[in-house]
Structures are given as structure tokens and as C-alpha cells.
Amino acid sequence: MSVLERVLPILRWLPSYRRRDLASDLAAGLTTAVMLIPQAMAYALLAGLPPIHGLYASTLPLLGYAMFGSSRQLAVGPVAMDSLLVAVAVAAIATVGTDAYLAAAILLAAMVGVIQVAMGVVRLGFLVNFLSRPVISGFTSAAAVLIGLSQLPHLLGIDLGRTTKPHELLFAAGTRISEVSLPTLGLGLAALVGLIGLQRRAPRFPRALAVVVVGTLLVWLFDLDQHGVAVVGEVPRGLPRPALPSFETAAIVSLAPAALAIALLSFMEAISASKATSSSSERSPATGRRPRIDPNQELIGLGVANLLGSLVRGYPVAGGLSRTAVAAQAGARTGLAGIVTAAIVVLTLLVLTPLFHQLPKTVLAAIIASAVAGLIDVAIVRRLWTVERSELVSLVLTFVATLAFGIVEGIGVGVAVSLAVFVIRATRPHTALLGRLPGTEVYRNLARFPEAVAPAGVIVVRIDAQFYFGNVDFLDRTIDRLLTEAAAPGTGRPVGAIVIDASSINRLDSSADAALHEIHGELHERGIGLFFASVKGPVRDMMDRSGLRELVGADHFAMTVHDAVTAAQAWNAIAQGQKTDVRTRRTETIPAGS
């Protein structure tokens, strides 16, 4: 693969484009456009922008991603989550409906693009791994609730302010319930019921476009705009004139946290959508493999999309999971499907925008509400309750924090929770006290195998993690605890040796090595031997370089736990003035005087 092909993935598939894929890509591009156009307008409304800017964000960004993105099926464009983040971030520095608000949203798209391209260039795609699925689920579920509630003003036909706090929205709605516009509420509920019904009975039917057409016709036929139903109004015809965003230092500083949050969140959305549909991609005739999703290239592709969007008065975009699934089901084979979608949006801007004049905002609100309902993941709550309740705590904490403090703060709490869980697990690794299964030379966890027998006078402990500076204190305390428990009255013979099963230790840093030196010294002073079993090569190399192996003694290292226990008991027998039956090499010690 040439350098140019790495930079521009379009060069990998376009020169060898197969004619038989054209019909599938055209059909997928058309199907996605039919879904994208009403969604893009609805999400722009959610972001506090005129609906036309959702269409602007669905033109050049799609071309940019088709050229630089690694997924051949990802459907890029405005999404609900990012739109809400835009609304929250921009509303903090500008008033909705003003030129300053629009300029800040466009600037935010450019900032997100710069961050994503920079992260892709320095290969920071691995950062997505620091957010666990429960944390992401907790955040997206809470965000879905916030997005749904944010549509109450449009569904009810009353102004409830720009707050995103659920209790404030519900309280405001409750106090002004008498002002609800019944035609607006009725039309919105009808659209919502229609969307849900079509989703269940005809999943592939363009339900969003259908309710837009029906809702617009009802407003036009019955003059509902004269009876309190708010409509989109005049939508400018034609393409936006390319222009650079307005870069103001104060705005950049204020928007920086939101830009970083959107950059990471839209990246996670894109990776999730790409991986979910990559299995349906056809294998390459040359390699026999399906196209690989490159996280770093995805960052660059999304970054370029956002940068181009900022040039045509768009706002931040991402890869939508639902639209990507629709594109895949419709037969998308290559990035040409996205180019076709962009072309249809451009055609809409040139010809069809006058038709949107009577489009009711309550219908757009219904589209948003039905789209985000699928983000609330109840199944994972039931699953975590069954398989791992500690991760359920992470989900709940993130969910509650997002609802209570806000969507940006919720992301911060989610990241903090993920890192905290990672640190706790890394610094408190799983350890097991081992015993020998009767009639074998196999040693297993005494807590899980009641039939296993602990060897006389020897503690065998297994550490299931890398041994590094973060958990050295934990091992030291674990050994102290085991020795204290063994020395308690009525526990049998005092411990004379400790065997560390190192089969699960794949790394040893200098801090951990120094701690092992100290542990050996303390045990030696107490007359307790230290033995190691199944030490891996890289760990053994570290012990050789530091002199630990020489200090402990090469005969204190064994290939298996059984051999280490045998050596430990032999050493213990000599140290205690006992003797071992050398002829049979039995693992039990022989009492003195026998």
C-alpha cells in the first residue's frame, strides 16, 4: 500500500471499482438521503440552528469522509447526541437565533475537525478503549432522556426556555400546561405514533420522510400554522457560499471542552457504527479479507468531514448508527453511496427547499424523540445485574451524573469512572491461594476447588496481573495477611516457604522488582523461603538484570507449581531439621525421627 493510499483510502477502492456494485451503491445512497434529509433538519433544530444548516452539514462533510474515512458503509451527517452538545455549549456564550450563535456553532465544527485530525495523525485512536461499554451506555441513555425532554417545547407548542435539566423542563411544562397548543400536541403525537408503528411493521420504509410529507400536507390543507402550529418557515434555496469560520480567541477558549467532548463522542459513535456493519462488507478479491476499520483513519476522516462542514456553514457531524445500518441493509458497498447521498442533498438544496416552508416543527421533534428512544439500553442493565454488578454501578453513576449535572459533565464523570475502575482493578489484581488436586500435580484455587489440598508448610499464591508500581503494595499486604492467617492458633504447622505462581505475570517493572527484593529480605529474616513457578521469559530477564534471581537462588525457580512446591518443602524440611524421602520425590514432608 502506497503512502498516498494510506492518506486517501478512496484510492484503495475507486480505481478498482466494480460496475456490479453501482446499482447497490446508488440504491443505498438514495435510501440514506431519504432518511438523512428530514433527520438533518430535525437535528439542526435540536442544536438551536435553522434547519437549513443541517442540510449544509450533509453535503461536503459526506464527500470528505468518503475520501478519507476507512469505513465503506458509515453514513456521516448530523446526529442527535452531538446536536444536543452543540446546543448546550453554544448557548453558554451566545443567544439562540443570533448571528453570534450560528458563528459559534460553525467554529465548533472547525475545532472538532482540528482535534480529530490531530488525534488521528498522532495515532490516538486507542483512547476510545478508556470508556467502557457500561459507561457509554449510561451516558447515551441519559443523553437520550435529555434529548427527548428537550423536544417538549416543540411538541407542546410552548416556550420552556433553554434549560437541559430534566426537572426544570418538567416543572416548567407542568406550570404552563394550560398554554399547550392542542393542534401542535395532536400533530406531534400522531407523528410519533406513526413513526413507532412504521418502525415495527415496516422497518425499511422511509418513515421520517413519510411523516414530514403528511405533516406538511396537513398544515397546508387545514392552515394549521394559523392555529398555533409552528412551522419551519422560509428555507433558503441554493448552496451556501464557502467561507472560513470566525476565529475568536474568547470563543475558542469557551468552546474547547465541548469540542473535545464532541470529538471523542462522535468518534465513538462512528467506530461503533462502522464495526456493527463491517461484517456485512464483501471480502476483497485481492486479499480475501473484509475492509478493516482503522480507528486512526476514522479520526482523520471525521476530522476532515467536520472541517469541510465548517466551510459551508455546517455544524459538527458524526456517523449515525441507525443511518449506517440502513445504508448497509440497502446494499452499500463503497464510499460512493455516501457521495450519492451528498449529491441528493445538494439537489434538494437547489430545487426542493420551498417545499419545507409549511413543515411543522412538532413533526421534526417527533422524529428526534423516536430516533433517540433506541439509545436507551435497558437490556444491558439486566445483563450487568446478572453478570457483573460492579459495572452496573459505573453505568448508574454516569447516567445519574449526566441527568443531574449536564451532558458535558456526564462525559467527564464517565471518563473519571472508567479510569477509576481501571485503576482499582489494576492496583488490586485478582489473587488466588492454590492447593493440589488429589492424585495429580495440578494446583487450583482453593476457593473454587474444595477438593484441592494446601501443601503442608507452604503457601502457594497466584497473581493474575502484571506486577508493577501500582500494585506492589497490594502484593506485600496480601503476603502479610496470608502469613498472619497461617500463624493463627489451630491452623496447623507454621509456614516455612511461599511459592508465587507467576504464570499470569507478563510484566515486571523496576518498582515491582525492588518490592520483590524487599519481600525476599523480610521473609529471609523470618526464616521463610521464597520460590517462583512458571516465570515468563521477559519477567525472568528483568530478574536476571536486577540480580533478584541470583539473590533468591536459581534453585528457587521452577517450571511448574508442583516442582516449586516440591523444592520448597525440601528446603523447608532441611531448614526445620527434617528430611525428605528423596527416592520417591513425594511432596509431603517426613516427620523427624521416622
Side-chain angles (χ1 to χ4, degrees), residues 254-317:
S254 299
L255 295 174
L260 180 59
I262 294 172
L264 290 173
L265 183 61
S266 62
F267 171 54
M268 287 188 296
E269 288 179 290
I271 286 292
S272 299
S274 298
K275 289 184 176 180
T277 56
S278 62
S279 59
S280 63
S281 300
E282 289 191 358
R283 298 180 186 273
S284 166
T287 64
R289 298 178 179 178
R290 292 187 176 91
R292 187 173 67 89
I293 305 301
D294 183 349
N296 298 302
Q297 192 63 44
E298 284 297 280
L299 277 167
I300 294 174
L302 290 170
V304 170
N306 278 299
L307 285 172
L308 291 177
S310 70
L311 298 179
V312 291
R313 301 171 67 81
Y315 71 101
V317 297

Side-chain angles (χ1 to χ4, degrees), residues 21-231:
D21 289 336
L22 181 59
S24 296
D25 281 337
L26 288 174
L30 174 61
T31 302
T32 307
V34 168
M35 184 177 184
L36 172 61
I37 290 170
Q39 280 191 347
M41 298 178 70
Y43 293 150
L45 197 66
L46 173 61
L49 299 168
I52 190 67
H53 291 277
L55 297 179
Y56 291 161
S58 305
T59 54
L60 274 187
L62 277 66
L63 300 178
Y65 181 81
M67 295 175 64
F68 289 88
S70 66
S71 172
R72 300 186 182 186
Q73 296 174 318
L74 185 69
V76 172
V79 296
M81 200 84 66
D82 292 356
S83 299
L84 181 60
L85 280 167
V86 170
V88 172
V90 178
I93 64 172
T95 303
V96 177
T98 63
D99 290 341
Y101 188 95
L102 175 59
I106 296 171
L107 172 62
L108 190 55
M111 294 173 63
V112 170
V114 169
I115 292 172
Q116 289 176 328
V117 169
M119 290 176 64
V121 169
V122 299
R123 308 189 68 79
L124 293 181
F126 68 90
L127 288 178
V128 72
N129 297 325
F130 283 97
L131 281 177
S132 64
R133 187 187 172 196
V135 166
I136 295 173
S137 178
F139 168 74
T140 53
S141 296
V145 173
L146 292 176
I147 292 169
L149 290 176
S150 70
Q151 297 311 297
L152 278 178
H154 300 297
L155 289 169
L156 301 178
I158 53 179
D159 183 13
L160 301 179
R162 293 295 299 176
T163 179
T164 59
K165 300 295 176 62
H167 62 282
E168 294 178 358
L169 276 168
L170 293 173
F171 179 78
T175 56
R176 303 183 61 185
I177 195 69
S178 60
E179 302 175 29
V180 170
S181 168
L182 294 181
T184 300
L185 179 60
L187 186 58
L189 290 178
L192 194 57
V193 170
L195 288 165
I196 295 173
L198 287 172
Q199 183 177 15
R200 292 179 177 177
R201 295 182 176 275
R204 296 190 178 186
F205 188 79
R207 51 190 179 275
L209 183 62
V211 298
V212 163
V213 171
V214 173
T216 303
L217 285 175
L218 288 174
V219 171
W220 179 68
L221 289 172
F222 299 103
D223 293 325
L224 295 181
D225 55 329
Q226 304 299 317
H227 296 82
V229 176
V231 297

Side-chain angles (χ1 to χ4, degrees), residues 182-552:
L182 294 181
T184 300
L185 179 60
L187 186 58
L189 290 178
L192 194 57
V193 170
L195 288 165
I196 295 173
L198 287 172
Q199 183 177 15
R200 292 179 177 177
R201 295 182 176 275
R204 296 190 178 186
F205 188 79
R207 51 190 179 275
L209 183 62
V211 298
V212 163
V213 171
V214 173
T216 303
L217 285 175
L218 288 174
V219 171
W220 179 68
L221 289 172
F222 299 103
D223 293 325
L224 295 181
D225 55 329
Q226 304 299 317
H227 296 82
V229 176
V231 297
V232 168
E234 183 179 357
V235 179
R237 178 187 292 184
L239 301 178
R241 181 176 298 176
L244 289 173
S246 177
F247 294 98
E248 296 183 3
T249 304
I252 291 174
V253 172
S254 299
L255 295 174
L260 180 59
I262 294 172
L264 290 173
L265 183 61
S266 62
F267 171 54
M268 287 188 296
E269 288 179 290
I271 286 292
S272 299
S274 298
K275 289 184 176 180
T277 56
S278 62
S279 59
S280 63
S281 300
E282 289 191 358
R283 298 180 186 273
S284 166
T287 64
R289 298 178 179 178
R290 292 187 176 91
R292 187 173 67 89
I293 305 301
D294 183 349
N296 298 302
Q297 192 63 44
E298 284 297 280
L299 277 167
I300 294 174
L302 290 170
V304 170
N306 278 299
L307 285 172
L308 291 177
S310 70
L311 298 179
V312 291
R313 301 171 67 81
Y315 71 101
V317 297
L321 182 57
S322 59
R323 289 197 301 268
T324 300
V326 167
Q329 291 172 359
R333 295 286 184 269
T334 69
L336 182 62
I339 297 174
V340 171
T341 300
I344 295 173
V345 174
V346 168
L347 181 64
T348 300
L349 285 168
L350 291 174
V351 179
L352 302 179
T353 52
L355 299 178
F356 298 135
H357 186 281
Q358 298 295 95
L359 172 59
K361 291 183 177 181
T362 186
V363 168
L364 294 179
I367 292 173
I368 294 172
S370 66
V372 300
L375 296 176
I376 301 176
D377 193 351
V378 179
I380 193 175
V381 175
R382 292 195 296 263
R383 181 173 179 272
L384 291 178
W385 179 262
T386 303
V387 301
E388 185 57 73
R389 294 187 183 181
S390 63
E391 293 192 46
L392 181 59
V393 173
S394 301
L395 185 153
V396 172
L397 283 175
T398 307
F399 180 85
V400 172
T402 304
L403 289 180
F405 305 119
I407 197 163
V408 177
E409 292 80 0
I411 293 177
V413 170
V415 172
V417 169
S418 292
L419 292 177
V421 170
F422 172 78
V423 169
I424 290 172
R425 289 180 175 174
T427 55
R428 298 180 61 84
H430 178 263
T431 58
L433 196 60
L434 307 184
R436 181 184 176 187
L437 295 178
T440 71
E441 296 182 355
V442 177
Y443 285 74
R444 289 292 184 266
N445 188 345
L446 289 169
R448 294 181 179 272
F449 293 83
E451 69 274 21
V453 179
V458 178
I459 288 177
V460 186
V461 61
R462 187 185 70 220
I463 308 168
D464 296 331
Q466 64 173 337
F467 193 32
Y468 74 117
F469 68 90
N471 57 22
V472 291
D473 184 59
F474 180 75
L475 176 63
D476 192 23
R477 287 185 283 109
T478 298
I479 290 176
D480 266 347
R481 176 178 57 80
L482 293 174
L483 289 173
T484 301
E485 292 174 354
T491 56
R493 179 177 299 180
V495 173
I498 290 179
V499 172
I500 295 179
D501 177 3
S503 59
S504 298
I505 300 176
N506 53 26
R507 182 174 179 268
L508 186 72
D509 71 0
S510 59
S511 299
D513 179 79
L516 287 177
H517 275 79
E518 294 176 5
I519 290 172
H520 170 263
E522 293 173 359
L523 293 176
H524 182 72
E525 290 179 2
R526 299 167 64 174
I528 300 174
L530 180 61
F531 292 78
F532 291 91
S534 306
V535 181
K536 293 181 178 178
V539 177
R540 192 166 56 248
D541 292 341
M542 179 65 176
M543 292 178 170
D544 287 338
R545 291 194 299 270
S546 70
L548 178 63
R549 194 176 182 201
E550 181 181 357
L551 176 65
V552 174

